[in-house]
Amino acid sequence: MHLHLAYPAVLAVLLFCVGLYGVLARRNAILVLMSVELMLNAVNLNLVAFDVWLRDSLHAGQALTLFTIAIAAAEIGIGLAIVLAVYRNRGSSAVDDLRDTAEHPDDDPGDGDTGAAAADTDAEATPAQKAEATA
């Protein structure tokens, strides 16, 4: 039996394109992780198809596929743990909401702003500190 390489290659390209569309278009973090898994499975399909087509005696493509499956399992476990932690804290698993968690360099609390930050410190001052400030 002779394997036509075009069939699994076209299927892998279709799977990869669907996964890429899911990564770029979806806003739900779980759907993004599922799309990444589709992309990894397209790569696995190519690895096995080329391994069979080249008739490799070491079966390096199949060995790499096993490593890729193991890494994908670890990635999905860690990724789901992160998504669940974000969902517990934020109440949403939307990817757009994750941009708000990033620290910005201009948000340093000790940069000497005297605007609203000074008003906040006056509201939190103890009565003894307020008495010293007015005296």
Side-chain angles (χ1 to χ4, degrees):
M1 179 176 161
H2 182 53
L3 174 74
H4 294 285
L5 191 59
Y7 299 131
V10 168
L11 181 61
V13 166
L14 290 175
L15 275 175
F16 193 86
C17 288
V18 169
L20 186 64
Y21 172 75
V23 166
L24 296 176
R26 298 294 179 183
R27 297 292 174 237
N28 189 349
I30 295 175
L31 292 177
V32 170
L33 286 174
M34 288 173 58
S35 298
V36 170
E37 291 295 321
L38 271 177
M39 293 166 65
L40 287 173
N41 285 330
V43 171
N44 287 341
L45 181 61
N46 268 335
L47 284 172
V48 171
F50 276 97
D51 181 57
V52 171
W53 184 65
L54 293 173
R55 294 187 179 104
D56 185 17
S57 62
L58 295 176
H59 298 294
Q62 294 178 21
L64 283 174
T65 299
L66 289 176
F67 283 119
T68 306
I69 290 171
I71 289 171
E75 173 255 334
I76 201 68
I78 292 171
L80 279 177
I82 291 171
V83 168
L84 286 175
V86 168
Y87 183 77
R88 284 183 185 168
N89 289 334
R90 297 263 179 185
S92 171
S93 64
V95 177
D96 293 336
D97 294 343
L98 296 178
R99 293 182 189 150
D100 299 335
T101 61
E103 294 182 15
H104 301 289
D106 56 340
D107 291 343
D108 188 21
D111 62 357
D113 285 341
T114 57
D120 289 341
T121 57
D122 288 342
E124 296 173 0
T126 62
Q129 290 172 341
K130 288 181 183 177
E132 288 177 7
T134 57

